[in-house]
Amino acid sequence: MVLRLNSTETGFEERFQDLLAGKREVSENVDQVVRDIIEDVRANGDRAVLDYTAKFDRLDAAGMAELTVSGQEIEKAVKEVPAETLEALQFAHDRIHAHHSRQVPRDERYTDDIGVELGTLWTAIEAVGVYVPGGLANYPSSVLMNVVPARVAGVDRIVMVVPSPDGVLNPLVLAAASVAGVTEIYRIGGAQAVAALAFGTETISPVAKIVGPGNAFVAAAKRRVFGTVGIDMIAGPSEVLIVADGDNNPDWIAADLLAQAEHDTAAQSILMTDSEDLAVQVERAVEAQLKTLPREQVARASWQDFGAIILVENLEAAMPLANRIAPEHLELAVADPEDLLKKVRNAGAVFLGHYTPEAIGDYVGGSNHVLPTARSARFSSGLSVLEFVKRTSILKCNADNLRALGPAAITLGESEGLSAHARSVSIRLNMQRRF
Amino acid sequence: MVLRLNSTETGFEERFQDLLAGKREVSENVDQVVRDIIEDVRANGDRAVLDYTAKFDRLDAAGMAELTVSGQEIEKAVKEVPAETLEALQFAHDRIHAHHSRQVPRDERYTDDIGVELGTLWTAIEAVGVYVPGGLANYPSSVLMNVVPARVAGVDRIVMVVPSPDGVLNPLVLAAASVAGVTEIYRIGGAQAVAALAFGTETISPVAKIVGPGNAFVAAAKRRVFGTVGIDMIAGPSEVLIVADGDNNPDWIAADLLAQAEHDTAAQSILMTDSEDLAVQVERAVEAQLKTLPREQVARASWQDFGAIILVENLEAAMPLANRIAPEHLELAVADPEDLLKKVRNAGAVFLGHYTPEAIGDYVGGSNHVLPTARSARFSSGLSVLEFVKRTSILKCNADNLRALGPAAITLGESEGLSAHARSVSIRLNMQRRF
């Protein structure tokens, strides 16, 4: 039976806190292994990458050339993909590209009230690595979601790494890479791929930032190379919170809950409603639909272990709870979603109304599906063009400006015991520029 | 003698790479200690914080009330600060506030060509912790730089932690906190303060993000709590690169190099010029000025160990090298800085012309002085309002939109083996909303 909470019952706050605090992932302690792999790759470059790939992916390559995906290989993969799928990929790509093109920030320059010029210059990161997992979670849509914003930002080199256990590579992933505009692809994975991207090898030039999801080894490796390169968030299992009024088709809501649950046994699907009737019917519909799902086992485990139905007095009362959950995906399946939207403080993405199932956002909505999980929407955002650019601030004074600003700077410099700071200002006020 | 390189000499590339790869910080291995402290604070809350504060700061407090800075204490501190310094702090605050107010991003909503509504909602992080180091690097200006963007963003709770070794707290730091609008202050530091902010204690409610510089323990603790809360960059020692033509006063340039060098023995000051004459004169001026600096020892160690003068053929040739250095601070002390500015790809902040010493940006320019160090300007930006807000993406389809988007989403869902994803779309195309 799925967890049922009722916000009007005593003990609710405690049970809700337990739900918030619940760990859905077992964090494996792989730190030591990962540290050794990274050190090995730093010291031995290609050789180490080849060895780990042979060991972990059972892929014996004579040299890095064999682990480099060629243009020919990509063309071949594209030909293997059904035309309908290729069209859908292109359609998704074009919508994602259009939406992200609106996110490119503009440079700014202005002169303030005392004549000082200030500004902001935005530049693209020069080289980015995109990690694509092998195996089950090997999703072409994620390739689009990670690569397109980098392309739109103007990143020069987009280097994809994707492990191919036993040599198997999903042609759809190569097709998506081709559609999205990846510039280099290596069939490597794990901590060794992260290390190769961060520090470079004889074959792979280092990148400045690494994005994309991965297993515990990949996550630990990203955390460790953070600082040498930039990284994106550490992604956790996916989650959805559906806030629904009584006027919903329970089959639709059940389908949305299961779309999340089928991702991963650690995924989380929560329904919050003020209708006891709907709650009962959705629970029943979930059971019925589960039986017909190809991924029934995964979805059932997720629903039973982490699913929840929370009954609230009214939908106003739902929003503060929703903000505490800070869900990756928030569906507002209500008559007037705009009203509730105004109360959203913490959520990765919001899906409004009855005709916006979250899966639309996964593929073809245009917005990004890489979103903050595990309550991190409290402090972070989904992937966007902003993650592939950086700001340089600009300051420009003339002699008059410096006379206006200088005395306060000198006072503060001296108050902090930084006399050379003060002097770099005073010397310009007291001494000719030409000598 | 300071390191001298010449870009036209053979062997330059190798020596330049050595300069880039040079580690200026000894990374202490404090991981195990930090992990234990964090676990202790998670398990024992206030009690653990009190114990570590007694141990590390030699500050025996009976309870957390004694470690909480009161309004009275702040008022008293403000009264201790000279009027001129307080005015300078307020002046700096107002300029920083004005500049950062321009960074507040705007919500967006639009309808695309097929009628789908998309959008972006920006919200402030609810609670932020600001770490302020005790001891030498206890700078009131850094309090302004970390707190003002959070205030401008609309953060509700801004919690400052600052260790007070032996009970000593810099009144200027409290005054700056008061001017900037900090809402809570605790006199605690180290990994225990980071843990208290991240996980909360009986006295301190948890925050969602932690910013501010600290020692190796603080940096390791931030890295470890990343994910539970957001963190800013891990700050390294400060650095400046000055690109100068021959038409400069060598004393001004020397003063700027030393303003950076006096921060820390691990700070780095580099001059890049096409004038051999200027190079010689600046080196001489640095020696002369060093002798008159209160912080001569620190500045001399930094200059001798990490300083460099790089002679280039012409200033055009300087910019690709500057971009590889990716300096925290870049001064363009040349006749036409705008021309060189166009070639900047990697830099935290740029200071244009002869009358913009970097120290102006440290205090009263209005831009932020928390900037990416150690070449991280290749992938990250200085602190801004953007670090205290987060984006929620919005998607809204009606039945017609869903009919237009649905088939591609279904195709992609099925191609990824995610049938429940596909079903959550198809069920809406095939079944009435009301039942």
Side-chain angles (χ1 to χ4, degrees), chain A residues 240-258:
Chain A
V240 71
L241 168 63
I242 305 179
V243 173
D245 58 24
D247 186 22
N248 269 287
N249 185 325
D251 288 319
W252 295 18
I253 304 293
D256 293 3
L257 292 168
L258 289 174

Side-chain angles (χ1 to χ4, degrees), chain B residues 169-192:
Chain B
L169 207 53
N170 181 352
L172 272 171
V173 161
L174 292 187
S178 166
V179 166
V182 168
T183 57
E184 293 163 44
I185 308 177
Y186 302 98
R187 42 169 85 229
I188 59 175
Q192 61 274 20

Side-chain angles (χ1 to χ4, degrees), chain A residues 292 345 382 390-391 423, chain B residues 292 345 382 390-391 423:
Chain A
T292 66
R345 180 85 184 239
K390 55 226 160 53
R391 264 175 320 101
R423 182 191 285 169
Chain B
T292 67
R345 180 87 185 238
K390 56 227 159 51
R391 263 176 319 102
R423 182 191 287 170

Side-chain angles (χ1 to χ4, degrees), chain A residues 77-94 96 138-141 144 170-177 179-180 363-364, chain B residues 405-418:
Chain A
V78 171
K79 281 189 194 129
E80 283 176 42
V81 175
E84 192 191 1
T85 311
L86 212 54
E87 268 165 47
L89 268 181
Q90 188 68 51
F91 179 73
H93 168 272
D94 295 349
I96 298 164
N138 184 275
Y139 297 135
S141 59
L144 297 182
N170 183 351
L172 271 170
V173 161
L174 292 187
V179 166
Y363 296 118
V364 292
Chain B
L405 297 182
I410 292 168
T411 299
L412 290 172
E414 293 292 1
S415 82
E416 292 185 347
L418 298 175

Side-chain angles (χ1 to χ4, degrees), chain A residues 401-413:
Chain A
N401 304 152
L402 194 65
R403 268 189 292 276
L405 297 182
I410 292 168
T411 299
L412 290 172

Side-chain angles (χ1 to χ4, degrees), chain A residues 50 55 63 65 106 175 186-187 234 239 242 266-267 281 295 345 382:
Chain A
L50 286 163
K55 184 175 169 189
R106 277 193 214 120
Y186 302 97
R187 44 169 84 228
I234 307 291
E239 64 213 20
I242 305 179
Q281 293 183 60
R295 293 167 68 93
R345 180 85 184 239

